[in-house]
Amino acid sequence: MQYDIVIVGAGTAGCVLANRLSADPDCRVALIEAGGKDDYFWINIPVGYLYTIDNPRTDWCFRTEPNPGLADRSILYARGKVLGGCSSINAMIYMRGQRSDYDHWAQLGNRGWGWDDVLPAFRKSEDYQHGADEFHGSGGELPVEERRVNWEILDAWRDAAEQAGIPKIEEYNRGDNLGTAYFQMNQRRGVRWSGARAFLRPVQHRPNLTVITDALVTGLTLEGEDDTKRVTGVKVRTKSGNETFAARRAVVLAAGAVGSPHILQLSGIGRDTDLETIGVAQRHNLPGVGHNLQDHLQVRTIYKVSNTKTLNRRVNSVFGMASMGIEYLLRRTGPLTMPPSQLGAFAKSDPNQPTANIEWHVQPLSLDKFGDPLHKFDAITPSVCNLRPTSRGHVLARSADPAEPPAIQPNYLSTPEDEEVAVAGLKFTRNIMAQPALAQYQCQEWKPGPDAKNDEQLLQAARELGTTIFHPVSTCRMGSDPQAVVSDRLKVHGTEGLWVVDASIMPTITSGNTNAPTVMIAEKGADFVKADALAAN
């Protein structure tokens, strides 16, 4: 069980890392995944997210702690439980964020993380449907393609957004997302293209790459009693029992914003009070581990519509389901190719914002929550989210038992700024829905409903309707201050042989969906590990 590099977590980042690090045939790489194989039927069909989210076969089905900002509700916190991780169950939306996100990271002192620095890493792995240009790459492992189904109501909503002051733009991912456009997706001709499918499957034949599934990491092995601890391996619980995977050169945590801090805490790396609570002796003091959790809260408004068809009607009809299935089988087009949201819009919640700070994901469907059936009436769901939340939460181990899920507390809507943006987002949504372009569809607000009139009532509606958009980040954030966990080369402070390479390292959350930034982080992280661990040995 001795390897040069052990990677923990076969989600998006882990699959990229496995691909890049095992390219050297002299480097023995182990990729350890706590979940199973990605062989479930609904993973490859894009609309299958309806059957993979909140399904214990494919989702860890975490739940948050009761959140005061959400009327004391506990909500689903989906995390992928198969090869490919969240990219096997997510919305497939390819969204980099904005230039200002990364320039801010650099302004915080993180060298090499400005927009101009990260753009080459985005382009490296991309296979853009329209070919390479200044912003896009071609020939990479990750396909980026246009939608394969159209909805009349979404075209009308985009027209209405333009009438409300949000300009139409050709696409996102060029650095400034202000405007409305259809999302581009990680699909290949109507099939979901997860991190596992893009990066792992093409290289699984390599004799120097070992992939282990159904293997729960229980902790890291550390040596040394001084201020610098050396990480020498990973302790794992498999079907065969407890094993140790030794790492001669590097251990790379890529278990995500929930898994990576949890593993560090179980290993005695973290804040003293957090470790005392679970009865784990502190081996290395890093008070930021598990803290600084950031996420996008979406407020899912629902409007009943008339004189048009939505996915609700087609799913609730035997003929509709049959016709969708036939179209998909014959042409790989139609509603079965849909991500949860096809249409997006970025805007400023108030004119004083320097860049777009709210985003809509517009869905030609409605349901109470993921995992529930679609409503039987035609409806659309314009979900609006705050792109730059100031609320901060945490991910903390509940006990020393690695099988017990950690306590997840995002602390949504815990600051006045976030409350103001939530109310402004609901008002802006109503403004769009009242535009002439939507008049023929007789849109009726079902949630939150016309009784929510003043700011106080709208804020309460946001607390009752708000839910995660599944973008947790920043629990092992990058920086050089006392609360930072990793350096700007993603090495864990005060350790040797240990890196964190996943969304948890983001200093601040990006403006939009977080899977594409995670691919970029893994590209850069792989370069750092090769230069700092492999070249040094």
Side-chain angles (χ1 to χ4, degrees):
M1 294 298 181
Q2 185 159 8
Y3 298 86
D4 293 297
I5 297 175
V6 176
I7 303 166
V8 177
T12 298
C15 290
V16 175
L17 289 162
N19 181 300
R20 302 305 189 223
L21 296 175
S22 66
D24 178 356
D26 294 327
C27 180
R28 295 191 63 208
V29 177
L31 178 63
I32 301 173
E33 168 58 37
K37 296 180 179 180
D38 57 335
D39 53 1
Y40 184 43
F41 170 78
W42 282 110
I43 289 176
N44 293 330
I45 299 176
V47 83
Y49 71 89
L50 290 169
Y51 308 101
T52 56
I53 290 177
D54 204 17
N55 178 345
R57 177 172 179 171
T58 49
D59 179 4
W60 287 104
C61 301
F62 293 139
R63 299 197 67 85
T64 69
E65 300 295 286
N67 194 314
L70 298 186
D72 291 320
R73 290 183 296 128
S74 171
I75 61 173
L76 173 70
Y77 220 63
R79 298 283 86 193
K81 193 183 177 183
V82 293
L83 292 174
C86 292
S87 69
S88 292
I89 67 172
N90 71 356
M92 296 161 284
I93 293 172
Y94 186 80
M95 178 66 65
R96 295 171 177 172
Q98 302 184 96
R99 170 184 286 272
S100 58
D101 300 332
Y102 303 101
D103 288 346
H104 178 59
W105 290 8
Q107 290 162 7
L108 293 173
N110 297 296
R111 300 161 298 176
W113 289 93
W115 171 260
D116 292 335
D117 302 309
V118 303
L119 183 57
F122 278 118
R123 296 179 73 248
K124 176 180 179 179
S125 55
E126 186 181 14
D127 189 15
Y128 185 54
Q129 181 175 350
H130 305 298
D133 60 23
E134 177 185 358
F135 297 101
H136 295 286
S138 65
E141 294 85 356
L142 190 66
V144 177
E145 298 188 351
E146 305 287 355
R147 70 195 187 282
R148 298 172 69 84
V149 62
N150 296 309
W151 296 91
E152 176 187 54
I153 189 65
L154 295 188
D155 292 338
W157 196 96
R158 192 178 182 213
D159 292 338
E162 184 178 41
Q163 292 171 346
I166 306 176
K168 292 180 180 178
I169 61 175
E170 183 178 347
E171 63 155 294
Y172 300 118
N173 300 316
R174 296 182 179 181
D176 181 2
N177 288 346
L178 182 66
T180 175
Y182 282 96
F183 292 128
Q184 294 165 331
M185 300 167 293
N186 295 134
Q187 292 185 13
R188 179 81 75 194
R189 292 183 290 277
V191 176
R192 173 190 291 274
W193 223 257
S194 68
R197 191 155 193 158
F199 296 97
L200 186 59
R201 287 191 191 179
V203 301
Q204 275 192 280
H205 65 280
R206 290 176 178 168
N208 61 319
L209 174 61
T210 301
V211 180
I212 306 102
T213 56
D214 300 301
L216 179 68
V217 170
T218 61
L220 307 175
T221 57
L222 285 77
E223 294 181 354
E225 298 300 328
D226 54 13
D227 291 338
T228 299
K229 302 295 190 299
R230 178 160 190 86
V231 176
T232 59
V234 176
K235 294 179 286 187
V236 179
R237 183 182 299 166
T238 68
K239 294 177 180 178
S240 302
N242 294 324
E243 304 176 45
T244 298
F245 290 73
R248 288 199 313 115
R249 301 184 182 185
V251 169
V252 185
L253 295 184
V258 174
S260 288
H262 190 212
I263 291 168
L264 289 173
Q265 291 161 6
L266 294 174
S267 307
I269 301 175
R271 184 174 298 186
D272 53 359
T273 52
D274 297 338
L275 301 178
E276 288 171 6
T277 301
I278 62 173
V280 170
Q282 187 182 60
R283 296 294 309 279
H284 183 54
N285 180 35
L286 274 180
V289 171
H291 295 271
N292 196 50
L293 172 64
Q294 300 170 43
D295 191 13
H296 290 139
L297 178 75
Q298 62 171 340
V299 182
R300 302 181 70 251
T301 67
I302 295 176
Y303 285 79
K304 293 183 177 181
V305 297
S306 302
N307 305 319
T308 191
K309 291 182 180 180
T310 67
L311 188 62
N312 288 13
R313 188 190 304 190
R314 298 196 68 173
V315 165
N316 285 297
S317 159
V318 174
F319 174 77
M321 288 289 287
S323 64
M324 288 190 298
I326 292 170
E327 181 179 3
Y328 186 78
L329 287 172
L330 295 179
R331 300 169 57 191
R332 289 292 188 268
T333 60
L336 293 191
T337 68
M338 280 178 54
S341 304
Q342 288 182 282
L343 177 64
F346 284 72
K348 298 179 181 181
S349 62
D350 69 78
N352 295 323
Q353 295 292 331
T355 59
N357 71 312
I358 53 175
E359 178 190 9
W360 285 266
H361 291 76
V362 191
Q363 305 168 334
L365 57 89
S366 66
L367 69 171
D368 289 332
K369 65 180 186 300
F370 287 109
D372 286 358
L374 302 186
H375 296 136
K376 295 187 180 301
F377 49 81
D378 280 316
I380 63 171
T381 303
S383 297
V384 61
C385 74
N386 179 359
L387 293 172
R388 291 194 289 271
T390 55
S391 299
R392 298 291 184 266
H394 60 250
V395 173
L396 299 177
R398 296 178 188 273
S399 76
D401 180 0
E404 184 172 358
I408 303 169
Q409 178 52 277
N411 283 328
Y412 298 119
L413 296 176
S414 59
T415 66
E417 296 87 351
D418 288 358
E419 293 177 346
E420 291 172 7
V421 173
V423 171
L426 286 172
K427 289 180 176 179
F428 208 147
T429 303
R430 284 179 168 175
N431 182 20
I432 294 170
M433 298 303 299
Q435 296 300 318
L438 288 168
Q440 64 176 305
Y441 303 105
Q442 301 175 9
C443 303
Q444 299 178 27
E445 184 178 317
W446 191 54
K447 288 185 179 182
D451 291 339
K453 297 176 181 178
N454 58 39
D455 286 4
E456 183 179 352
Q457 292 167 332
L458 287 172
L459 178 58
Q460 183 60 29
R463 297 192 190 284
E464 294 173 356
L465 295 175
T467 189
T468 178
I469 205 165
F470 309 120
H471 297 164
V473 302
S474 302
T475 49
C476 296
R477 72 174 176 83
M478 172 171 58
S480 56
D481 62 279
Q483 295 298 312
V485 176
V486 300
S487 70
D488 54 18
R489 295 183 70 83
L490 308 189
K491 190 175 181 181
V492 175
H493 288 304
T495 69
E496 292 295 335
L498 180 61
W499 282 258
V500 178
V501 182
D502 57 32
S504 71
I505 66 91
M506 292 187 189
T508 51
I509 195 167
T510 54
S511 300
N513 309 73
T514 52
N515 191 67
T518 300
V519 174
M520 177 275 294
I521 288 167
E523 290 281 20
K524 289 179 70 69
D527 289 341
F528 295 149
V529 174
K530 284 188 287 187
D532 299 348
L534 299 185
N537 286 270

